[in-house]
Amino acid sequence: IAGITQAPTSQILAAGRRMTLRCTQDMRHNAMYWYRQDLGLGLRLIHYSNTAGTTGKGEVPDGYSVSRANTDDFPLTLASAVPSQTSVYFCASSPNEGEQFFGPGTRLTVL
Amino acid sequence: QKEVEQNSGPLSVPEGAIASLNCTYSDRGSQSFFWYRQYSGKSPELIMFIYSNGDKEDGRFTAQLNKASQYVSLLIRDSQPSDSATYLCAVKNGWRGSYIPTFGRGTSLIVHP
């Protein structure tokens, strides 16, 4: 693979179900991020990780959790999905001071 | 609360004209400034970055930074219909070793033939 990938591309999920969005990068970037993008609200940071083994909360962390066991992977888990979590989710990575590289996104619908 | 403000638009310009996109930020400690382009249904992609006051040119794109006035702008010369997209401004300050960017909500640009 080259760059940053996300899976699944899209998902329809029943409310109350658990869901993990996957994100993998092969650029050896230290920092990784999860955003959600909703119409009119722009990109909102959910969680981030400055380096493997550390994570931090962003602007809208409630209902989401992340882990960073290694440099390449940064999964986002919705423990019990709710309809307000319907959104497009973008994973990104960056070499700290540099620009961010975004994955293709996951379109999630919670019914 | 760090803020990055952009006019949501849409900004409509004729083909061949100069499109001027503006962004203001509140954090005076900001060090890095980025412009991303996002086509509908796609992910953001980097257009330009700028770290120092002044102008930086790359092809048809020019980024302008004025730290004293806390604004950064993006000029697109000879605008093409393919430039129609949402442009996101992002700012980083590197505070305490954390390089979390703050994004504006984006400006929608429409270039009409």
Side-chain angles (χ1 to χ4, degrees), chain A residues 33 35 37 40-43 45 48 50 57 59 90 94-105 107, chain B residues 1 31-32 34 36 38 41-46 49 51 88 90 92 96-101 103-105:
Chain A
Y33 315 80
Y35 293 91
Q37 189 173 40
L41 297 178
L43 284 167
L45 182 67
Y48 66 93
N50 284 333
K57 294 181 179 180
E59 180 184 358
F90 289 106
S94 75
N96 288 347
E97 294 186 23
E99 73 273 23
Q100 289 182 311
F101 296 81
F102 285 84
R107 185 173 297 275
Chain B
Q1 179 73 18
Q31 299 174 354
S32 312
F34 306 86
Y36 293 84
Q38 186 175 23
K42 301 295 185 181
S43 57
E45 57 179 342
L46 183 75
F49 64 87
Y51 299 148
L88 303 171
K92 283 187 176 182
R96 291 184 181 178
S98 175
Y99 298 92
I100 302 171
F103 280 85
R105 295 188 178 186

Side-chain angles (χ1 to χ4, degrees), chain B residues 77-90:
Chain B
R77 292 182 299 280
D78 189 24
S79 295
Q80 301 296 310
S82 60
D83 294 325
S84 298
T86 296
Y87 289 80
L88 303 171
C89 173

Side-chain angles (χ1 to χ4, degrees), chain A residues 23-72:
Chain A
C23 175
T24 299
Q25 54 107 356
D26 66 354
M27 297 174 283
R28 309 303 292 171
H29 288 166
N30 284 330
M32 297 187 75
Y33 315 80
W34 273 106
Y35 293 91
R36 59 178 291 174
Q37 189 173 40
D38 305 287
L39 193 64
L41 297 178
L43 284 167
R44 294 186 290 169
L45 182 67
I46 304 171
H47 285 286
Y48 66 93
S49 169
N50 284 333
T51 190
T54 68
T55 63
K57 294 181 179 180
E59 180 184 358
V60 288
D62 294 344
Y64 306 94
S65 64
V66 292
S67 61
R68 187 86 184 278
N70 56 62
T71 297
D72 298 345

